[in-house]
Amino acid sequence: MAPNGNVYVANSISNNVTVISSATNTVLATVPVGAVPDAVAVAANGNVYVANRNANTVTVISSATNTVLTTLPTGGFPGYAAVAQNGNVYIANQTSNNVTVIDSATNTVVATVPAGSVPGVIAVAQNGNVYVTNTVSNNVTVINSATNAVLATVPTGGGPFGVAVAPTGNVFVGNSNSNNVTVISSATNTVVATVPVGAFPFSVAAAQNSNVYVTNANSANVTEISPLTVTTSPASPVCGQPVTFNISGGTPNGTAVVNFGDASPTVTVPLDATGSGQTTHTYTAGMFTATVNGNPTPVTVSTNPTTTTLSVTPNPSTCGQSVTVCATITPAPGTTTVPTGTVTFTLPDSQTQMVPVNASGQACFTTTALTTGTLTASYGGDSCFTGSAAGTPVTVNPAPTTLTAQPGTIRLRLTPLPEFYIPTLSATLTTTSGMPVVGQPVTFTATTLFGPVNLGTAITDANGTATVHNAIVPVFAIATPFYTATFAGTACYTAATAHGILLFIPL
């Protein structure tokens, strides 16, 4: 039908076109055309294009005046025609295996595009792609109407002829020799389904509700193909959480081809006797458009929230004791993917340590240098999981210590001046478990009638022993029977005191 409501009917035997007013259902004119006119297509500007099979021409009629504007040459045996959104008219030439492209604005041939063997029917998708069924080569040629270049050649069943594009953008091709319909996605130009129909499917038409109707010439019936219904659950999935695709309304005992819209391969889902099936897929975070037999299904996947829990074992602990610190990263329930990335631990003394998350979703480390205070763990997140943090108080008690003092001897030396001295004073500092305490000061003193006398201070070595050499003893202290070794204690170790015997053996 032309924009003004006129209807144009090609009369193949009388080589003319009848013009009917759709308003009054009366014949307005009879327009002579070429030999054996077949297909008719109307452009948006009102020009009518009639393919003349036996004349290898196209007659252009003005719908405003119902007069012939021009006659254009085509390839051999021009058949079906279609008009793209940009005004290009496409004519399938069955014996020359190509397509003639006419500019409806200038009524000139602008291109000749190669097709397959015996091109038949032409349909144009919403995105401007032109689909030409090739009856003998069993495929469809896809032409870009903007460039008139071949985008793809898509395989079909046997003897493809009728073709129609549904509002969903899927292209339905009736295969007359294999009694089925090939469904092609116009977005990807790939086959998304094959639907069995009746015997010798010939014509294909798509309704506005996306139902597709196929006439089956040899079985004398019509097959109705309904669009699939696809729902996903959960409705608001998070990254790493399996998304279930629930499919219904398909062909009983047929299949559904699911393209998840990411880099993963497509899967074929078997449908049961009711035309229903199910499959699951796990996404990363982002917005995706899955297609099920070419029907688009948007899926929005959010980043997965996490919770960090922190454990310190043992807690309380003793200074210098080996303590294991673990952060466990827990995502949303039902998640099958484990978080990755790192956890940054901040110790009570403000020191930090970065630890990777392992395959169990944990980050752990062991330390002997923990102090009392608050310990925090901060998970930085990754492309799939959000960050989270936790903190816990830790208590590190001072380790009890024991100091053991060795006997000392007061001696006399005469040179360079006479004086009393102790050659060696030593005391060993250990924890109550027997571990040496290293690097701590021990002070040695002697108690006399005149008060305490400092004999010296030394630092404990790798064995926990502090040693003072050649300590000078005043004359008034030579009768002191013992000395005292003192460790004043630290935040990590308790104080300790020990008494050692002093023997006066001057010579």
Side-chain angles (χ1 to χ4, degrees), residues 235-247:
S236 301
V238 295
C239 183
Q241 190 176 51
V243 177
T244 299
F245 289 79
N246 300 294
I247 304 166

Side-chain angles (χ1 to χ4, degrees), residues 116-117 133-140 153-160 175 177-178:
S117 181
T133 60
N134 302 307
T135 307
V136 174
S137 57
N138 299 330
N139 52 30
V140 168
T153 300
V154 183
T156 63
N175 303 305
N177 293 340
S178 56

Side-chain angles (χ1 to χ4, degrees), residues 438-500:
V438 180
Q440 300 299 323
V442 175
T443 301
F444 298 86
T445 59
T447 302
T448 71
L449 295 175
F450 299 96
V453 174
N454 187 359
L455 300 176
T457 299
I459 303 298
T460 56
D461 60 16
N463 297 315
T465 300
T467 302
V468 171
H469 298 282
N470 299 318
I472 303 301
V473 179
V475 174
F476 60 82
I478 60 174
T480 301
F482 63 88
Y483 71 92
T484 301
T486 303
F487 169 58
T490 65
C492 193
Y493 298 103
T494 60
T497 300
H499 299 288

Side-chain angles (χ1 to χ4, degrees), residues 272-312:
D272 61 19
T274 67
S276 300
Q278 191 178 79
T279 187
T280 60
H281 185 65
T282 301
Y283 285 94
T284 59
M287 299 179 66
F288 306 90
T289 299
T291 57
V292 182
N293 281 2
N295 296 285
T297 300
V299 180
T300 300
V301 181
S302 304
T303 51
N304 197 325
T306 64
T307 301
T308 296
T309 55
L310 192 56
S311 66
V312 180

Side-chain angles (χ1 to χ4, degrees), residues 281-453:
H281 185 65
T282 301
Y283 285 94
T284 59
M287 299 179 66
F288 306 90
T289 299
T291 57
V292 182
N293 281 2
N295 296 285
T297 300
V299 180
T300 300
V301 181
S302 304
T303 51
N304 197 325
T306 64
T307 301
T308 296
T309 55
L310 192 56
S311 66
V312 180
T313 307
N315 187 25
S317 63
T318 301
C319 184
Q321 184 178 3
S322 179
V323 176
T324 299
V325 180
C326 283
T328 301
I329 314 303
T330 305
T335 301
T336 58
T337 304
V338 177
T340 62
T342 58
V343 174
T344 300
F345 294 92
T346 302
L347 307 185
D349 61 358
S350 299
Q351 297 295 313
T352 60
Q353 186 157 349
M354 187 176 292
V355 181
V357 180
N358 62 24
S360 300
Q362 284 191 321
C364 299
F365 73 99
T366 299
T367 180
T368 58
L370 202 59
T371 58
T372 296
T374 299
L375 189 150
T376 62
S378 177
Y379 169 58
D382 59 16
S383 60
C384 188
F385 296 91
T386 61
S388 55
T392 189
V394 292
T395 300
V396 180
N397 295 315
T401 62
T402 298
L403 196 60
T404 302
Q406 303 302 318
T409 302
I410 301 175
R411 306 301 297 270
L412 172 65
R413 58 186 170 195
L414 301 175
T415 59
L417 294 176
E419 61 181 355
F420 294 96
Y421 72 102
I422 303 172
T424 301
L425 282 177
S426 66
T428 301
L429 182 66
T430 62
T431 64
T432 54
S433 61
M435 296 296 294
V437 179
V438 180
Q440 300 299 323
V442 175
T443 301
F444 298 86
T445 59
T447 302
T448 71
L449 295 175
F450 299 96
V453 174

